[in-house]
Amino acid sequence: MRILFVGDVMGTVGQTAIDEYLPKLKRRYKPQVTIVNGENATRGRGINQQVYKALLTAGADVVTMGNHTWDNNEIFDLIGEAKKLVRPLNFPAATTPGVGYTVLKVNAVQLAVINLQGNVFMGQNLANPFTTVQPLVDELRQTTPNIFIDFHAETTSEKEALAWYLDGQVSAVVGTHTHVQTSDERVLPAGTAFLSDVGFTGPYNGILGMTRENVLERFLTQMPTRFNVQEDSPAVLSGCVIDVNERNGHAQKISRILINPDHPYFDD
Amino acid sequence: MRILFVGDVMGTVGQTAIDEYLPKLKRRYKPQVTIVNGENATRGRGINQQVYKALLTAGADVVTMGNHTWDNNEIFDLIGEAKKLVRPLNFPAATTPGVGYTVLKVNAVQLAVINLQGNVFMGQNLANPFTTVQPLVDELRQTTPNIFIDFHAETTSEKEALAWYLDGQVSAVVGTHTHVQTSDERVLPAGTAFLSDVGFTGPYNGILGMTRENVLERFLTQMPTRFNVQEDSPAVLSGCVIDVNERNGHAQKISRILINPDHPYFDD
Amino acid sequence: MRILFVGDVMGTVGQTAIDEYLPKLKRRYKPQVTIVNGENATRGRGINQQVYKALLTAGADVVTMGNHTWDNNEIFDLIGEAKKLVRPLNFPAATTPGVGYTVLKVNAVQLAVINLQGNVFMGQNLANPFTTVQPLVDELRQTTPNIFIDFHAETTSEKEALAWYLDGQVSAVVGTHTHVQTSDERVLPAGTAFLSDVGFTGPYNGILGMTRENVLERFLTQMPTRFNVQEDSPAVLSGCVIDVNERNGHAQKISRILINPDHPYFDD
Amino acid sequence: MRILFVGDVMGTVGQTAIDEYLPKLKRRYKPQVTIVNGENATRGRGINQQVYKALLTAGADVVTMGNHTWDNNEIFDLIGEAKKLVRPLNFPAATTPGVGYTVLKVNAVQLAVINLQGNVFMGQNLANPFTTVQPLVDELRQTTPNIFIDFHAETTSEKEALAWYLDGQVSAVVGTHTHVQTSDERVLPAGTAFLSDVGFTGPYNGILGMTRENVLERFLTQMPTRFNVQEDSPAVLSGCVIDVNERNGHAQKISRILINPDHPYFDD
Ligand SMILES: [Fe+2]
Ligand SMILES: [Fe+2]
Ligand SMILES: [Fe+2]
Ligand SMILES: [Fe+2]
Ligand SMILES: [Fe+2]
Ligand SMILES: [Fe+2]
Ligand SMILES: [Fe+2]
Ligand SMILES: [Fe+2]
């Protein structure tokens, strides 16, 4: 099974990049399943019905989220129904709408897609991602060894720790949230593919995609400033492709995808 | 001018990697100056005289530091004398021994090497890196346009912000601290080379180079655990090469270097 | 010299308490100078011209601020002119409007009032309060030994540390920001009056004066919620009175004031 | 039922204060149960067998802990057996030795004593205190309405929020951890006694009980410094007395106790 994963789509720049490149990437890599992180899809803050549907139309099979899940209030209109929308598993169990994972039929087998959030420097007090995900993984493995985790977290230590913790138990742990792709893709010894952060999909000339002027003003003046998506910018698209042996769920290979003005896409 | 920069050398695994690969990298890339971050060089925590000298012997022209500068008490034996050791510029001015930058003669010109630390999530209250580095850059540019900054910081936002802030004023802003290399190397529009994090040089199979067992225990139990360098591991070496036009200080190119068991070094 | 200091006035509940009790407190304690923290005065977030003037009319001689200084945009209409408004001294020097201290004539002598902000857990990267305030204190003491500091900070450690650091150099270090009065008022050995936090002036039945329902929702759901001032509540007024020997600036006594439904005000 | 609670006993200064004043306080207030926080009892960091037994001998019926629970490794020698030692309930359930609450027989009724830790700014990732304590309170109330909670937390907002959340469900929520007593003791409308922080028991002239010189050095230099208990200091003892109606568990009254050189103890 081949999985294509694309990092945090941000605003119209990100959506346009998805519309343009996702079909091309699918033709080239022929993934059986495509997962897209959408926590910044609607104007940089959360997601709404229209953009969620647009991502599905563009080719996403599952949309994962993160700490910005609730930033756009319109999410409450769709989260109860949206079967392909997955928010972090370790949000408070009793009060959080939506689901923390979904199981897809891919080829003749099943793939579970989990969204999980880190705790270090994330500004929310969530259930421990390690001890929360372990029983779910145990349960899912009764059904399928093919498990993909979008681990939305800040620090490289928490990301590496989770990947080693689950090595051999899941097919992939791929990080999101920093909006910058790391180059540490590897398959760990027991068969779990890992990449600290897949990077984001949005304005190449913003600061994490936000307007440079406003972000710099905050660092310089320490005053509250309003950030917006840096719309007047070419796009970056960040992703990765993972090949999984469906019989045992072990990853065989993970490769990064990075398209931006310095690394343009070529149809070979 | 070509600059070779190697990220956080960690413990004997990192030192051994330096001894093995630094000569090879110098033969291949022929840098005129080599900068090595040494904040974790002595058993993962700070640096002492012996390891500092070993890094110089292995080929470093300058050794930069970071938040772990003071972790090994033996640094106080050398920091007053060590002309090639640079600790973060924005440590408290009145009380901090050592220097925050140094100026080297490279070819017929001068290169200033600045070490700077971020503030977001770094657990120390330092002077604002933006407003602290700007007057120094102004002053240095009276003498030379060739300025390299090792920006030791946690978040991608602070790193991107500093690079855009100084774009055109310095030759390069390269991040350290996360121990994971990012793949976002680029030359910004006004001529500053940027890489969010160059990555580290040490055990490939630790968690940020530390013993997996102990780091995982802390995430699972939330008890204090003692971390040590994961010595029983092959090495990763992370670095980058930057070409600078000496006449105007503008970067022409930045390329990443990554050597590990999944990306072995080959003498072509 | 007797100084009356009243903690963070919050919303209309706080303003009403000021209007009602400040005249009574002045009649009873006969302070020569009255200082009021106003960082939450306008609807819980910052201050505007109207409320600033109302606090002066009600009897404040100086209005101090804190981390919420910029929450109400209308402050920019007044901060350039408002001679009695003092924002934290250690905000970025180059870009911050307003002043970090003011000097008043009280009796025949001068009193300097400084507003200073802590760094630990305050979410802003400000200049080190210790090393920033020391040169100002040195300078002010050329003119007057009578110096009052409103230290707006979160942790008891930073507050106690600053008070001991300045003991004998200033007349008083009184904390604000936690909105809860502490009972540790004392005069330190070298003559500086200290109180970790004077407490706030606003709704007695909110959570730090904010609507209980919304604050609890955030703790329970970890979702972003909008906080408002809990207006349907009786008031608390928190303050202290400090007696200073004007000749040497040493505090002679510090006493707390706390008025709330459990400790009602009685005109004896 | 009358409960006496004494805050964080720190080092030999704190232990000596306990030995001297606890018998006197018991004679004066005649509590039926005495609870002492001991997280800093052994040299300021954690607790060991000897000091735990000394606290019981001095008159404690229960010893509560906090974020420093594991700082002294000797705790592992006793925590399995020590029936009167209670560590935070919301430590990781699967891996944490010891218990998060205990039930005592007091008079003819039962009193449950819970230790709970906050999450905001506490540097550990624990289970949400609100959602973790609620089911335990529900369960305990099947047996007894008399429930005392030592809520070990940093921020006044989390403390006030928990108290309002549990108002009417427990007899008392009393905070510890900041080492500074607050003056906001009250009985909330539905019958829960509340005090944000009871304060600590240890050196009056340290910074939170630690050596001033070392704490100041850290704030000034931002270098790691080793803190020790400020042993050459008179003592402060901080506590409170709560009267509970045993039939419905409602608090009738809460009064603070503060003994220090500025408020000496007098046997009237
Ligand atoms: Fe994002
Ligand atoms: Fe995020
Ligand atoms: Fe570091
Ligand atoms: Fe490092
Ligand atoms: Fe406030
Ligand atoms: Fe504040
Ligand atoms: Fe404590
Ligand atoms: Fe504590």
Side-chain angles (χ1 to χ4, degrees), chain B residues 21-85:
Chain B
Y21 293 112
L22 206 50
K24 293 181 185 179
L25 292 171
K26 288 190 163 204
R27 278 197 299 275
R28 174 180 291 181
Y29 293 106
K30 299 184 180 31
Q32 281 87 37
V33 59
T34 299
I35 305 165
V36 175
N37 184 295
E39 71 145 9
N40 307 111
T42 300
R43 292 183 296 279
R45 294 186 177 81
I47 198 167
N48 63 3
Q49 182 90 39
Q50 183 210 326
V51 176
Y52 168 65
K53 289 200 166 156
L55 291 177
L56 297 185
T57 302
D61 298 305
V62 180
V63 175
T64 52
M65 300 294 288
N67 59 311
H68 290 293
T69 299
W70 314 115
D71 284 9
N72 188 316
N73 247 313
E74 297 175 69
I75 195 174
F76 295 105
D77 301 339
L78 69 126
I79 196 166
E81 308 289 310
K83 293 183 196 312
K84 312 295 192 184
L85 190 73

Side-chain angles (χ1 to χ4, degrees), chain C residues 121 128 130 156 158 160-161 164 178 180-184 186 204-205 207-208 212 216 219 256 258, chain D residues 121 128 130 156 158 160-161 164 178 180-184 186 204-208 212 216 219 256 258:
Chain C
F121 305 147
N128 185 312
F130 296 79
T156 47
E158 197 170 13
E160 289 192 4
W164 281 103
T178 72
V180 175
Q181 190 178 75
T182 57
S183 69
D184 60 339
R186 67 193 284 193
Y204 190 52
N205 291 332
I207 296 179
L208 308 194
R212 295 191 307 275
L216 278 174
F219 277 113
R256 291 183 290 106
L258 186 63
Chain D
F121 304 147
N128 185 311
F130 296 79
T156 47
E158 197 170 13
E160 290 191 5
W164 281 102
T178 71
V180 174
Q181 191 177 76
T182 57
S183 68
D184 60 339
R186 66 192 285 193
Y204 189 52
N205 291 332
I207 296 178
L208 309 194
R212 298 190 305 275
L216 279 175
F219 277 112
R256 291 183 291 106
L258 185 63

Side-chain angles (χ1 to χ4, degrees), chain A residues 8 37 39-40 65-69 117 122 152-154 176-179:
Chain A
D8 310 33
N37 184 296
E39 72 146 7
N40 306 111
M65 299 295 286
N67 58 312
H68 290 292
T69 298
Q117 187 168 311
M122 292 299 288
H152 198 78
E154 175 70 37
T176 51
H177 179 63
T178 72
H179 286 205

Side-chain angles (χ1 to χ4, degrees), chain C residues 8 39-40 65-68 122 152-153 176-179:
Chain C
D8 310 34
E39 71 146 8
N40 307 112
M65 299 293 288
N67 58 312
H68 290 292
M122 291 298 289
H152 198 78
T176 52
H177 178 65
T178 72
H179 286 205

Side-chain angles (χ1 to χ4, degrees), chain D residues 123-155:
Chain D
Q124 285 175 299
N125 172 219
L126 304 186
N128 185 311
F130 296 79
T131 56
T132 303
V133 80
Q134 182 64 75
L136 174 63
V137 166
D138 290 342
E139 185 195 320
L140 289 169
R141 284 174 63 84
Q142 306 289 329
T143 309
T144 178
N146 303 301
I147 302 174
F148 173 94
I149 299 181
D150 169 359
F151 188 35
H152 199 78
E154 175 70 36
T155 66

Side-chain angles (χ1 to χ4, degrees), chain D residues 8 39-40 152 179:
Chain D
D8 310 34
E39 70 146 8
N40 306 112
H152 199 78
H179 286 204

